[in-house]
Amino acid sequence: MNTNPLTIIHLVPARSWGGGEQYAFDLACAQARMGHAVTAVCRPGRIVAPRFADAGIATRTMPLAGATDFISPLRLAAMLRGAGPVTVHAHNFKGAIAAVRARRLSRNPDVHIVVTRHLVRPAKTSAFYRRLYSSIDRIIFVSELARSRFVSTLPDYPMGKTAVVHNGVICPVAATQNTIAGAPVLMFHGRIAPEKGIDTIIKAMPRMADMGVRLIIAGTGDTAYVQSLRQLADSLGVAGQIEWAGFVRDIHPLIDRANIGVFPSRGEESFGLALVEYMAHGRPVVSTATGAQTEIITDVREGLIIPHDNSEALAAAVRRIVATPGLLPTLSANAAATFAARFAYPRFLQAIMSHYPH
């Protein structure tokens, strides 16, 4: 137990589950285990709020709808009023708007507002947003790319109010031996959306038919889009080689079934949490470099970097890892070592807590 427990409120406005929500969930749970008083404030829904509640985190629901939402600041102010020192950790700027307004309404001078920026986007430059940014005590970016893109439109923003903390991952098991018994198994997990490039993996499957490669896809997305991917797999004759796992609460046992993680994003990634999750299990990754991925992995060290929207290159990378003697175990060992040195959760947690007042 922590002898100096903090009061921490996480504002998690998303309706669906992705890397940002896993980040907030893991952090809230870790802080609760440390003995801090943790509350998660989420939007009403069937996914995010129940997940926190099921983990034993005190959970409240509010609209968290941004600039036009005046209900959330009032409700949040009631939680802050008279509460003494409180750290409010918002996981996007919609949540930050509610936090800044609530601090003012509560008249509690001991409210410290932290925001994690999970996106690669320039800062907005309107007077409203300039006031918002100046009212935040610390903005934590998940990558150098995310920070540089944000300040590109606000060159006068005080860099002392920013920090870069690469995501960490809680892995409940040690990395297992990565051996191929029969057909190689590839895996993608995350949001199933066009920018993630899942269609590139499916298009690569016929190019690996001689290896009998199998693919696990875990995650959820727009129903029509998921159906279009299933139809693509049918049209290419590879539907029988793909396992659609859907939403998986504990992704780690599934990762242990895979040999190689695939991350063929065509969108600009702010970090790439899935990459670190594969590395935690000693699994190399085949990834594009459309964002901050190269802050995580180095080509031919923890995996292979490929161009986006290139199914031929993806298939060639998988073939190289599988067919080159000694390459799979070398990449696997490097991935596990890099995870331990840079992305293990205790290191991340210590870095985040250093930006909270004590």
Side-chain angles (χ1 to χ4, degrees), residues 227-264:
Q227 184 59 31
S228 73
L229 292 176
R230 288 179 174 269
Q231 290 172 349
L232 174 63
D234 281 335
S235 69
L236 295 174
V238 297
Q241 298 162 243
I242 301 175
E243 175 184 340
W244 297 85
F247 174 71
V248 179
R249 284 205 169 196
D250 182 2
I251 201 67
H252 297 285
L254 209 55
I255 293 176
D256 270 341
R257 290 175 48 197
N259 301 114
I260 301 168
V262 282
F263 197 79

Side-chain angles (χ1 to χ4, degrees), residues 74-346:
L74 289 171
R75 293 180 179 174
L76 186 57
M79 297 173 63
L80 300 177
R81 194 171 293 118
V86 180
T87 296
V88 179
H89 192 149
H91 293 275
N92 67 17
F93 285 119
K94 282 186 177 180
I97 292 170
V100 168
R101 288 174 173 171
R103 177 169 61 185
R104 184 173 62 249
L105 291 169
S106 73
R107 303 193 180 194
N108 182 348
D110 295 321
V111 174
H112 185 82
I113 299 174
V114 175
V115 178
T116 294
R117 179 66 158 173
H118 295 276
L119 302 175
V120 179
R121 289 182 187 169
K124 296 181 180 180
T125 57
S126 69
F128 174 86
Y129 276 95
R130 283 180 177 271
R131 286 193 299 271
L132 174 68
Y133 302 145
S134 67
S135 300
I136 296 167
D137 297 295
R138 188 61 53 92
I139 303 178
I140 298 172
F141 297 88
V142 298
S143 63
E144 289 287 356
L145 174 64
R147 178 163 67 175
S148 64
R149 188 63 53 80
F150 179 85
V151 300
S152 66
T153 51
L154 285 181
D156 57 339
Y157 192 77
M159 294 299 284
K161 294 182 70 172
T162 73
V164 173
V165 178
H166 285 140
N167 294 351
V169 166
I170 298 172
C171 186
V173 296
T176 57
Q177 188 174 7
N178 190 6
T179 56
I180 297 175
V185 179
L186 313 182
M187 181 172 162
F188 168 90
H189 71 280
R191 284 187 304 109
I192 299 181
E195 64 269 19
K196 294 298 183 180
I198 304 164
D199 56 304
T200 304
I201 315 173
I202 296 173
K203 290 173 183 175
M205 295 290 285
R207 300 178 182 274
M208 300 179 283
D210 60 306
M211 295 190 293
V213 167
R214 303 191 65 80
L215 171 64
I216 301 169
I217 299 175
T220 59
D222 176 75
T223 302
Y225 181 65
V226 174
Q227 184 59 31
S228 73
L229 292 176
R230 288 179 174 269
Q231 290 172 349
L232 174 63
D234 281 335
S235 69
L236 295 174
V238 297
Q241 298 162 243
I242 301 175
E243 175 184 340
W244 297 85
F247 174 71
V248 179
R249 284 205 169 196
D250 182 2
I251 201 67
H252 297 285
L254 209 55
I255 293 176
D256 270 341
R257 290 175 48 197
N259 301 114
I260 301 168
V262 282
F263 197 79
S265 179
R266 60 172 61 95
E268 197 167 36
E269 295 287 342
S270 60
F271 185 74
L273 191 62
L275 296 178
V276 179
E277 290 173 323
Y278 291 120
M279 291 163 61
H281 287 258
R283 271 38 180 181
V285 290
V286 173
S287 174
T288 55
T290 55
Q293 294 98 309
T294 53
E295 293 183 36
I296 305 170
I297 64 171
T298 300
D299 190 32
V300 202
R301 189 166 72 190
E302 298 88 6
L304 300 180
I305 301 292
I306 60 169
H308 63 85
D309 291 314
N310 191 324
S311 59
E312 183 177 357
L314 193 155
V318 171
R319 188 178 298 278
R320 178 181 175 187
I321 293 173
V322 173
T324 303
L327 185 56
L328 177 64
T330 298
L331 296 177
S332 298
N334 291 344
T338 297
F339 169 78
R342 296 181 55 206
F343 303 111
Y345 205 78

Side-chain angles (χ1 to χ4, degrees), residues 12 22 31 36 97 123 177 212 280:
V12 191
Q22 189 67 47
Q31 291 167 337
H36 300 301
I97 292 170
Q177 188 174 7

